[in-house]
Amino acid sequence: MRKRLAVLGAALLSAVASVVVAVVPASAATTGLHISGRDIVEANGQNFIMRGISHEHVWFPSQTSSFANIKAQGANTVRVVLGSGKRWGPSNDVANVVAQCKRNRLICLLEVHDTTGYGQDGAAATLDQAVSYWISQKNNLVGQENYVVINIGNEPIGNNNPGQWTTATANAVRRMRSNGFQHLLMVDAPNWGQDQNHVMRDTAQTVWNADSMHNTVFSVHMYAVYNTASSITSYFDAFKNKGLPLVVGEFGWRFDSGQVDDQTLMAQAVSRGIGYLGWSWAGNTDGRLDMTNNFNPNQLTTWGQRIINGPNGIKATAKEATIYGQH
């Protein structure tokens, strides 16, 4: 999702397809967050299921109280919007962002937002440019593998030629590893994150194989394309059948003319042990996807109440990472 809502004019496609079950070896990582089977686990082997909220840090860098306020809602993860400088930013306060996450006992999911809609939005950055940003921040990230997940680039391909996603993403993962990053990596789907052409679903194995550490989780963003229970469950089933790890890296409760089936999404994510991260704490231009009014934690919107206090919501299902000492 961008600060302004993206146009997602693609129709729903059937998610029913023949799939090949892949054997997924445990991550080569010995420390830090990593993949074991289809699960995200901590260094001690304890499962970690993301229950988080996105915070639009790059546009609102003074709203640092949001970290504590998001934690107070029960979240165990904050997805922090950063800019590489191609379009927004550059975010040169990564060390402070990580410190804020750790101070508030949150897993820090960092993402570069400039890549949003590449190929359709002419202002967008490439995934390769996003990797260059991560390399520039390497000193702030190495050694933080227990606390930090790197979401290489937000919604990195639009609806024009979504098939380019596979090679671009595999190359980005390879370059991250060749530059010494051992973190858990997250890769977003094309089609503004929604993968309605099923490029990520059908070629995820290629990206997985490109990671020498086998330590990449796939992220789908669920908005209007996922307005029925069957569209959600069939997508989850596809990754289960492939044996590959999946999270819902963004979702909302309504978008344009289509209503997101957020209730099915959260219920299915909980029953399947899949992480989810809602968009967003505050700052959207029309406010429809704000969880708070003007960053005020005492003024939750309807969306904020649903994801935080509702059935299968954050307060009911989130567990703090054991790295912070809670068992």
Side-chain angles (χ1 to χ4, degrees):
M1 185 59 57
R2 292 183 286 182
K3 191 181 176 188
R4 65 182 180 85
L5 299 177
V7 177
L8 301 168
L12 284 171
L13 298 176
S14 171
V16 179
S18 297
V19 293
V20 177
V21 176
V23 176
V24 181
S27 169
T30 55
T31 60
L33 292 154
H34 61 279
I35 301 298
S36 177
R38 297 184 61 241
D39 298 322
I40 297 172
V41 301
E42 297 185 68
N44 62 4
Q46 179 70 40
N47 275 17
F48 180 74
I49 301 173
M50 293 185 180
R51 293 284 180 263
I53 293 172
S54 291
H55 171 48
E56 300 177 7
H57 175 75
V58 70
W59 302 305
F60 304 97
S62 65
Q63 292 287 346
T64 53
S65 62
S66 294
F67 292 89
N69 291 335
I70 287 170
K71 176 63 176 183
Q73 305 305 318
N76 62 21
T77 306
V78 59
R79 184 169 180 259
V80 185
V81 179
L82 303 176
S84 69
K86 171 66 168 63
R87 187 172 186 180
W88 296 295
S91 298
N92 291 321
D93 57 348
V94 169
N96 183 57
V97 166
V98 174
Q100 289 279 356
C101 291
K102 292 168 73 172
R103 186 175 301 123
N104 290 289
R105 302 166 72 92
L106 290 160
I107 293 302
C108 209
L109 174 55
L110 305 176
E111 59 104 335
V112 162
H113 216 74
D114 307 64
T115 55
T116 308
Y118 177 78
Q120 187 172 353
D121 189 328
T126 65
L127 277 171
D128 193 56
Q129 288 171 316
V131 173
S132 293
Y133 168 77
W134 294 121
I135 293 170
S136 78
Q137 297 298 318
K138 184 176 176 180
N139 288 343
N140 296 318
L141 298 170
V142 170
Q144 302 297 332
E145 293 85 357
N146 283 313
Y147 307 96
V148 171
V149 180
I150 300 175
N151 189 175
I152 299 177
N154 182 69
E155 302 178 359
I157 309 291
N159 291 331
N160 295 347
N161 186 21
Q164 66 184 299
W165 175 89
T166 309
T167 297
T169 304
N171 287 342
V173 169
R174 288 190 191 98
R175 190 170 168 220
M176 291 292 287
R177 296 300 183 215
S178 68
N179 278 277
F181 289 92
Q182 297 185 18
H183 303 71
L184 173 61
L185 302 178
M186 182 179 291
V187 293
D188 285 3
N191 300 117
W192 304 93
Q194 296 206 84
D195 202 29
Q196 63 259 32
N197 292 124
H198 296 157
V199 172
M200 184 174 82
R201 187 198 71 180
D202 294 343
T203 67
Q205 188 71 48
T206 299
V207 173
W208 176 263
N209 293 342
D211 184 356
S212 59
M213 297 187 69
H214 294 130
N215 198 24
T216 297
V217 62
F218 298 89
S219 168
V220 63
H221 292 185
M222 289 187 161
Y223 292 103
V225 169
Y226 299 93
N227 60 359
T228 64
S230 62
S231 62
I232 294 165
T233 57
S234 62
Y235 198 88
F236 287 171
D237 284 344
F239 271 81
K240 178 181 178 180
N241 292 338
K242 288 175 179 292
L244 293 170
L246 180 73
V247 299
V248 181
E250 278 189 25
F251 74 107
W253 74 292
R254 59 180 182 175
F255 188 86
D256 291 344
S257 60
Q259 299 292 314
V260 185
D261 188 358
D262 61 305
Q263 299 302 294
T264 293
L265 189 161
M266 289 192 287
Q268 285 289 314
V270 169
S271 67
R272 295 167 183 253
I274 293 174
Y276 66 65
L277 301 111
W279 183 276
S280 67
W281 186 239
N284 294 285
T285 51
D286 67 1
R288 284 183 295 170
L289 291 175
D290 285 355
M291 297 178 194
T292 63
N293 291 314
N294 196 32
F295 296 93
N296 186 340
N298 298 313
Q299 294 184 15
L300 294 180
T301 63
T302 300
W303 170 220
Q305 290 286 359
R306 286 167 79 98
I307 188 172
I308 293 167
N309 296 317
N312 299 298
I314 287 171
K315 279 194 175 173
T317 66
K319 294 183 179 179
E320 185 179 88
T322 62
I323 191 67
Y324 292 116
Q326 176 175 304
H327 297 284

